[in-house]
Amino acid sequence: MRLKKWEDLPSNLKNDSVKKYYDILYKKKFSLFAKRLFDIVVAVITIICLSPFFIFISIAIKVDSKGSIMFRQVRVTQYGKIFKIYKFRTMVNGADKIGTQVTTNNDARITRVGKVLRKLRFDEIPQLLNIIIGDMSFVGTRPEVEEYVKCYTDEMMATLLLPAGVTSQASIIYKDEERLLANAIDADETYVYNILPEKMKYNLISIEEYSFIDDIKTMVKTVVAVIKRR
Protein backbone atom coordinates (compact mmCIF):
# COMPACT_ATOMS: atom_id res chain seq x y z
CA MET A 1 0.00 0.00 0.00
CA ARG A 2 1.39 3.38 -0.92
CA LEU A 3 0.21 6.91 -0.42
CA LYS A 4 -0.30 9.14 -3.40
CA LYS A 5 1.74 12.31 -3.56
CA TRP A 6 -0.03 15.18 -1.82
CA GLU A 7 -0.49 17.05 -5.09
CA ASP A 8 -2.16 13.99 -6.63
CA LEU A 9 -4.85 13.65 -3.97
CA PRO A 10 -8.47 14.49 -4.84
CA SER A 11 -9.19 18.17 -4.24
CA ASN A 12 -11.66 17.46 -1.42
CA LEU A 13 -8.89 15.79 0.59
CA LYS A 14 -6.36 18.59 0.20
CA ASN A 15 -7.07 20.73 3.24
CA ASP A 16 -5.01 21.71 6.29
CA SER A 17 -6.80 19.25 8.58
CA VAL A 18 -6.01 16.27 6.33
CA LYS A 19 -2.40 17.42 5.76
CA LYS A 20 -1.62 16.79 9.43
CA TYR A 21 -2.59 13.11 9.11
CA TYR A 22 -1.01 12.75 5.68
CA ASP A 23 2.38 13.83 7.01
CA ILE A 24 2.12 11.27 9.82
CA LEU A 25 1.29 8.42 7.44
CA TYR A 26 3.93 9.46 4.91
CA LYS A 27 6.60 8.74 7.51
CA LYS A 28 5.25 5.23 7.99
CA LYS A 29 5.52 3.96 4.43
CA PHE A 30 7.21 0.69 5.44
CA SER A 31 4.41 -0.10 7.92
CA LEU A 32 1.82 0.59 5.22
CA PHE A 33 3.64 -1.77 2.86
CA ALA A 34 3.68 -4.47 5.56
CA LYS A 35 -0.03 -3.84 6.15
CA ARG A 36 -0.89 -4.47 2.51
CA LEU A 37 1.30 -7.57 2.26
CA PHE A 38 -0.26 -8.96 5.44
CA ASP A 39 -3.77 -8.26 4.11
CA ILE A 40 -3.20 -10.17 0.88
CA VAL A 41 -1.49 -13.21 2.40
CA VAL A 42 -3.90 -13.64 5.32
CA ALA A 43 -7.01 -12.98 3.20
CA VAL A 44 -6.03 -15.60 0.60
CA ILE A 45 -5.20 -18.23 3.24
CA THR A 46 -8.42 -17.51 5.15
CA ILE A 47 -10.60 -17.84 2.04
CA ILE A 48 -9.04 -21.21 1.22
CA CYS A 49 -9.55 -22.47 4.78
CA LEU A 50 -13.13 -21.19 5.02
CA SER A 51 -14.32 -22.29 1.58
CA PRO A 52 -16.36 -25.25 2.97
CA PHE A 53 -17.93 -22.87 5.48
CA PHE A 54 -18.90 -20.55 2.60
CA ILE A 55 -20.95 -23.35 1.10
CA PHE A 56 -22.75 -24.11 4.38
CA ILE A 57 -23.68 -20.44 4.96
CA SER A 58 -24.80 -20.02 1.35
CA ILE A 59 -27.20 -22.97 1.62
CA ALA A 60 -28.58 -21.66 4.93
CA ILE A 61 -29.27 -18.23 3.42
CA LYS A 62 -31.06 -19.66 0.38
CA VAL A 63 -33.20 -22.01 2.49
CA ASP A 64 -34.13 -19.25 4.94
CA SER A 65 -35.37 -16.60 2.50
CA LYS A 66 -35.71 -15.64 -1.14
CA GLY A 67 -32.99 -13.59 -2.76
CA SER A 68 -29.30 -13.70 -3.58
CA ILE A 69 -26.66 -15.14 -1.28
CA MET A 70 -24.48 -12.07 -1.45
CA PHE A 71 -25.43 -8.50 -0.64
CA ARG A 72 -23.59 -5.79 -2.53
CA GLN A 73 -23.75 -2.14 -1.60
CA VAL A 74 -21.93 0.93 -2.88
CA ARG A 75 -19.51 2.31 -0.28
CA VAL A 76 -16.60 4.76 -0.20
CA THR A 77 -12.96 3.82 0.41
CA GLN A 78 -9.45 5.27 -0.02
CA TYR A 79 -9.28 8.65 -1.79
CA GLY A 80 -13.06 8.70 -2.07
CA LYS A 81 -13.15 5.77 -4.50
CA ILE A 82 -16.55 4.16 -4.93
CA PHE A 83 -16.67 0.37 -4.65
CA LYS A 84 -19.11 -2.44 -3.95
CA ILE A 85 -18.74 -4.10 -0.57
CA TYR A 86 -19.52 -7.81 -0.33
CA LYS A 87 -21.48 -9.34 2.54
CA PHE A 88 -23.57 -12.41 3.07
CA ARG A 89 -27.19 -11.27 2.78
CA THR A 90 -28.75 -10.95 6.25
CA MET A 91 -31.92 -9.06 5.32
CA VAL A 92 -34.95 -9.66 3.15
CA ASN A 93 -34.38 -9.11 -0.54
CA GLY A 94 -34.34 -5.39 -1.43
CA ALA A 95 -34.09 -4.28 2.23
CA ASP A 96 -31.89 -1.29 1.31
CA LYS A 97 -34.80 0.13 -0.69
CA ILE A 98 -37.41 -0.14 2.07
CA GLY A 99 -35.67 1.36 5.08
CA THR A 100 -32.79 3.39 6.48
CA GLN A 101 -29.13 3.05 5.46
CA VAL A 102 -28.28 1.89 8.98
CA THR A 103 -29.65 -1.13 10.81
CA THR A 104 -31.47 -0.77 14.10
CA ASN A 105 -31.98 -3.29 16.90
CA ASN A 106 -34.78 -5.77 16.14
CA ASP A 107 -34.93 -4.50 12.55
CA ALA A 108 -37.81 -6.37 10.92
CA ARG A 109 -35.83 -6.63 7.68
CA ILE A 110 -33.27 -9.02 9.22
CA THR A 111 -33.83 -12.72 8.46
CA ARG A 112 -33.51 -15.56 10.97
CA VAL A 113 -30.18 -16.71 9.56
CA GLY A 114 -29.17 -13.07 9.25
CA LYS A 115 -29.51 -12.51 12.99
CA VAL A 116 -27.03 -15.31 13.68
CA LEU A 117 -24.60 -14.14 11.01
CA ARG A 118 -24.69 -10.57 12.30
CA LYS A 119 -24.21 -11.58 15.91
CA LEU A 120 -21.10 -13.57 15.01
CA ARG A 121 -20.05 -11.07 12.30
CA PHE A 122 -19.94 -13.96 9.82
CA ASP A 123 -21.84 -11.79 7.34
CA GLU A 124 -18.62 -9.85 6.77
CA ILE A 125 -16.52 -12.85 5.72
CA PRO A 126 -16.98 -12.11 1.96
CA GLN A 127 -15.13 -8.83 2.55
CA LEU A 128 -12.00 -10.95 2.25
CA LEU A 129 -12.58 -10.53 -1.49
CA ASN A 130 -12.63 -6.74 -1.07
CA ILE A 131 -9.35 -6.98 0.83
CA ILE A 132 -7.63 -9.00 -1.91
CA ILE A 133 -8.86 -6.58 -4.57
CA GLY A 134 -7.44 -3.70 -2.53
CA ASP A 135 -10.61 -1.78 -1.75
CA MET A 136 -10.43 -2.73 1.92
CA SER A 137 -8.00 -3.73 4.65
CA PHE A 138 -8.49 -5.91 7.72
CA VAL A 139 -8.21 -2.82 9.94
CA GLY A 140 -9.40 0.65 9.03
CA THR A 141 -12.34 3.01 9.16
CA ARG A 142 -15.56 1.19 8.29
CA PRO A 143 -16.69 2.16 4.77
CA GLU A 144 -19.70 4.45 4.72
CA VAL A 145 -22.33 5.00 2.03
CA GLU A 146 -21.93 8.10 -0.13
CA GLU A 147 -24.79 9.85 1.66
CA TYR A 148 -22.88 9.80 4.95
CA VAL A 149 -19.49 10.69 3.45
CA LYS A 150 -21.03 13.91 2.13
CA CYS A 151 -21.53 14.88 5.79
CA TYR A 152 -17.82 14.48 6.67
CA THR A 153 -15.99 17.48 8.12
CA ASP A 154 -12.61 18.46 6.66
CA GLU A 155 -10.85 16.48 9.39
CA MET A 156 -12.99 13.38 8.88
CA MET A 157 -11.83 13.31 5.25
CA ALA A 158 -8.44 12.18 6.57
CA THR A 159 -9.91 8.71 7.11
CA LEU A 160 -10.03 8.39 3.32
CA LEU A 161 -6.24 8.45 3.12
CA LEU A 162 -6.29 4.71 3.81
CA PRO A 163 -8.49 1.85 2.57
CA ALA A 164 -11.68 1.17 4.49
CA GLY A 165 -11.47 -1.64 7.03
CA VAL A 166 -13.39 -4.70 8.14
CA THR A 167 -12.83 -3.72 11.76
CA SER A 168 -11.40 -0.91 13.87
CA GLN A 169 -11.23 0.34 17.43
CA ALA A 170 -14.39 2.34 16.75
CA SER A 171 -16.15 -0.79 15.46
CA ILE A 172 -15.32 -2.61 18.69
CA ILE A 173 -16.50 0.21 20.92
CA TYR A 174 -19.69 0.65 18.89
CA LYS A 175 -20.34 -3.06 18.35
CA ASP A 176 -23.85 -2.53 19.74
CA GLU A 177 -24.59 0.40 17.47
CA GLU A 178 -27.90 -1.13 16.41
CA ARG A 179 -29.19 -0.85 19.98
CA LEU A 180 -28.20 2.82 20.15
CA LEU A 181 -30.36 3.46 17.10
CA ALA A 182 -33.28 1.31 18.26
CA ASN A 183 -35.34 4.18 19.69
CA ALA A 184 -34.25 6.89 17.29
CA ILE A 185 -37.05 8.77 15.57
CA ASP A 186 -34.81 9.25 12.54
CA ALA A 187 -32.05 6.60 12.52
CA ASP A 188 -30.10 8.21 9.66
CA GLU A 189 -30.06 11.61 11.34
CA THR A 190 -29.10 10.16 14.72
CA TYR A 191 -26.26 8.24 13.12
CA VAL A 192 -24.84 11.21 11.19
CA TYR A 193 -25.05 13.79 13.97
CA ASN A 194 -24.55 11.70 17.11
CA ILE A 195 -22.81 8.40 16.43
CA LEU A 196 -20.61 9.08 13.39
CA PRO A 197 -18.73 12.04 14.95
CA GLU A 198 -17.90 9.94 18.03
CA LYS A 199 -16.71 6.99 15.94
CA MET A 200 -14.58 9.33 13.87
CA LYS A 201 -12.71 10.52 16.97
CA TYR A 202 -11.40 6.98 17.43
CA ASN A 203 -10.71 6.56 13.71
CA LEU A 204 -8.63 9.74 13.59
CA ILE A 205 -6.67 8.77 16.70
CA SER A 206 -5.93 5.41 15.05
CA ILE A 207 -4.43 7.24 12.06
CA GLU A 208 -2.50 9.67 14.25
CA GLU A 209 -0.99 6.83 16.27
CA TYR A 210 -0.87 4.29 13.43
CA SER A 211 1.35 1.23 13.69
CA PHE A 212 1.19 -2.20 12.07
CA ILE A 213 1.40 -3.85 15.50
CA ASP A 214 -1.68 -1.93 16.64
CA ASP A 215 -3.54 -3.34 13.62
CA ILE A 216 -2.78 -6.86 14.83
CA LYS A 217 -3.93 -5.96 18.34
CA THR A 218 -7.20 -4.56 16.95
CA MET A 219 -7.85 -7.79 15.06
CA VAL A 220 -7.31 -9.81 18.24
CA LYS A 221 -9.59 -7.46 20.23
CA THR A 222 -12.27 -7.90 17.55
CA VAL A 223 -12.21 -11.68 17.91
CA VAL A 224 -12.44 -11.34 21.70
CA ALA A 225 -15.34 -8.86 21.40
CA VAL A 226 -17.27 -11.23 19.09
CA ILE A 227 -16.75 -14.15 21.50
CA LYS A 228 -17.94 -12.04 24.47
CA ARG A 229 -20.95 -10.91 22.48
CA ARG A 230 -21.98 -14.53 22.01
Side-chain angles (χ1 to χ4, degrees):
M1 182 192 308
R2 53 177 295 186
L3 285 176
K4 288 185 176 180
K5 293 182 179 179
W6 175 257
E7 55 269 25
D8 293 333
L9 293 180
S11 58
N12 60 342
L13 264 69
K14 288 192 286 187
N15 63 65
D16 292 338
S17 296
V18 172
K19 187 65 164 62
K20 165 190 170 183
Y21 297 96
Y22 178 88
D23 289 341
I24 292 172
L25 291 175
Y26 191 78
K27 296 176 183 178
K28 300 182 178 182
K29 291 183 287 186
F30 178 77
S31 291
L32 293 179
F33 173 77
K35 177 183 177 72
R36 179 57 184 153
L37 184 61
F38 174 86
D39 282 345
I40 295 174
V41 173
V42 175
V44 170
I45 293 175
T46 304
I47 282 182
I48 293 174
C49 293
L50 294 181
S51 54
F53 195 49
F54 270 52
I55 298 174
F56 175 77
I57 292 179
S58 298
I59 294 174
I61 292 173
K62 291 299 288 185
V63 170
D64 184 47
S65 62
K66 295 180 179 179
S68 61
I69 294 171
M70 291 287 190
F71 169 72
R72 301 172 182 81
Q73 187 179 45
V74 174
R75 299 289 181 95
V76 181
T77 188
Q78 189 177 32
Y79 307 133
K81 176 186 174 184
I82 303 301
F83 78 106
K84 284 190 176 182
I85 191 172
Y86 295 103
K87 290 186 177 186
F88 281 123
R89 182 175 60 81
T90 60
M91 291 187 169
V92 295
N93 202 32
D96 55 326
K97 298 180 178 63
I98 57 175
T100 63
Q101 294 294 326
V102 288
T103 308
T104 59
N105 197 36
N106 296 321
D107 196 315
R109 297 174 297 172
I110 302 177
T111 63
R112 288 173 299 177
V113 169
K115 288 180 181 179
V116 177
L117 295 179
R118 281 175 172 270
K119 185 175 183 179
L120 300 176
R121 292 193 69 172
F122 286 172
D123 60 314
E124 296 181 0
I125 292 176
Q127 288 168 40
L128 291 167
L129 298 173
N130 290 120
I131 291 174
I132 293 173
I133 293 170
D135 288 331
M136 293 183 70
S137 175
F138 275 107
V139 179
T141 300
R142 286 295 297 163
E144 301 287 359
V145 296
E146 293 178 272
E147 178 183 344
Y148 294 160
V149 174
K150 291 177 182 178
C151 299
Y152 279 14
T153 62
D154 283 352
E155 188 175 29
M156 288 179 183
M157 295 299 289
T159 60
L160 298 180
L161 290 172
L162 296 175
V166 174
T167 189
S168 66
Q169 184 65 24
S171 297
I172 296 172
I173 294 172
Y174 283 87
K175 62 182 182 299
D176 294 321
E177 179 183 296
E178 295 176 4
R179 294 182 182 177
L180 297 176
L181 294 169
N183 299 316
I185 296 176
D186 186 322
D188 287 315
E189 184 175 301
T190 299
Y191 180 77
V192 170
Y193 294 106
N194 296 92
I195 296 178
L196 182 60
E198 293 303 312
K199 289 171 68 175
M200 280 299 184
K201 289 179 183 178
Y202 292 102
N203 291 327
L204 291 169
I205 290 174
S206 294
I207 295 177
E208 196 169 8
E209 301 176 353
Y210 174 75
S211 77
F212 178 61
I213 298 301
D214 282 343
D215 271 10
I216 304 299
K217 290 180 180 179
T218 298
M219 291 175 68
V220 173
K221 288 179 182 178
T222 299
V223 174
V224 172
V226 170
I227 293 175
K228 286 184 176 180
R229 193 176 184 183
R230 290 181 59 189

